[in-house]
Every structure is written in C-alpha cells, then in structure tokens.
C-alpha cells in the first residue's frame, strides 16, 4: 500500500453524484490496483461511483437490475456486468422499472413503473462465481 494517492490526479474529472469517488481519493489511501463491487451501478459513467477507479486500473463487478442499463455497461466498462438484485437468498423478486428514467428503478412501486421479475443473487455467491481476487 502506498502512503499517499499520488497515482491519482485531483484535477481529473470525477463522475459520482455526490463526490464519493473524489472523497475516496482525497481522504483514503488507496492501492494502485483494487477491486470494487458496484451494486446498483446505473449508467456506465454518469453518477458512477466506480468509473474513475476503473479508469485508473481497478477491476470490479457492476450489478444493476434494470436491463436498460446493461448495453451501456457492457459496451463501455471492462468489468464483469451482472443483471440481478442482491439478496440473502436466490430466487425471483418483483422489480419496478421507472418508465421515465432507468436511474430511479426500484424494488417498491411508486406509480410510474413497469413491473418485471428479476433474479436475485447473494453477494457471496456473486463473488465466488467470478473468482473474486479477495478473501471472503
């Protein structure tokens, strides 16, 4: 582990909605290479908490239940992309795809969604299935 974040450039563009990626770089000492798990990944770049890390050598998994997000993730991210909802148990759940915006789809209805069934997967199973490089 390095003693500073000199590998990362504070003047570069960050992508997360509330500056989570920038906060990590400014406040935590990160290894040059790492592994992330992005649950509810959303758009491949806009509001992404992990895109900055990926562009700086990190690997990871992007999980999103809204299948409308998948083409952009598959085309523009090098990570493992999974369409699922994480849960303690495996099975199917109702998922509500917002008719106006894929970024605000959810597990509970709000009145403007299309209801679909989507597979669930546990985080442990997810990490084991892709041979995650960290100890569980």
């Amino acid at each position: 582990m390095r003693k500073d974040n000199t590998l990362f450039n504070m003047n570069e563009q960050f992508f997360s909605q509330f500056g989570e990626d920038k906060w990590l770089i400014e406040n935590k000492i990160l290894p040059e290479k790492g592994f992330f798990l992005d649950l509810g990944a959303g758009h491949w770049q806009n509001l992404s908490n992990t895109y900055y890390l990926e562009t700086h050598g990190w690997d990871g998994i992007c999980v999103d239940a809204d299948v409308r997000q998948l083409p952009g993730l598959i085309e523009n991210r090098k990570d493992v992309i999974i369409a699922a909802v994480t849960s303690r148990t495996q099975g199917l759940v109702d998922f509500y795809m917002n008719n106006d915006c894929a970024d605000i789809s959810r597990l509970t209805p709000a009145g403007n969604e299309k209801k679909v069934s989507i597979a669930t997967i546990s985080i442990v199973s997810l990490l084991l299935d892709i041979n995650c490089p960290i100890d569980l």
Side-chain angles (χ1 to χ4, degrees):
M1 172 105 48
R2 293 182 337 277
K3 295 184 182 187
D4 62 27
N5 277 336
T6 54
L7 175 73
F8 301 97
N9 182 345
M10 299 301 179
N11 295 320
E12 290 182 297
Q13 179 180 1
F14 292 91
F15 302 95
S16 65
Q17 182 173 11
F18 298 110
E20 296 91 341
D21 48 1
K22 185 175 183 183
W23 185 91
L24 276 173
I25 302 308
E26 291 177 344
N27 295 285
K28 299 294 177 187
I29 305 303
L30 300 175
E32 184 175 332
K33 300 247 184 233
F35 188 87
F36 60 81
L37 175 59
D38 193 346
L39 302 176
H43 187 272
W44 66 272
Q45 181 186 42
N46 295 335
L47 310 180
S48 174
N49 292 330
T50 58
Y51 184 68
Y52 181 86
L53 294 172
E54 182 185 299
T55 61
H56 287 78
W58 283 48
D59 294 312
I61 304 171
C62 291
V63 179
D64 202 285
D66 194 318
V67 295
R68 296 172 295 181
Q69 301 288 12
L70 297 182
L73 288 166
I74 291 167
E75 184 175 326
N76 296 290
R77 301 291 296 264
K78 67 180 178 95
D79 306 307
V80 173
I81 311 298
I82 297 179
V85 170
T86 55
S87 174
R88 291 185 196 174
T89 59
Q90 305 230 174
L92 292 174
V93 295
D94 291 338
F95 184 74
Y96 299 88
M97 294 174 29
N98 186 283
N99 291 325
D100 299 322
C101 179
D103 289 329
I104 54 175
S105 295
R106 56 197 317 144
L107 291 171
T108 56
N112 186 27
E113 301 94 4
K114 174 184 173 185
K115 178 179 160 184
V116 297
S117 290
I118 189 136
T120 63
I121 187 169
S122 74
I123 292 174
V124 171
S125 293
L126 181 87
L127 295 174
L128 291 173
D129 286 351
I130 61 109
N131 297 315
C132 178
I134 59 173
D135 292 328
L136 298 177

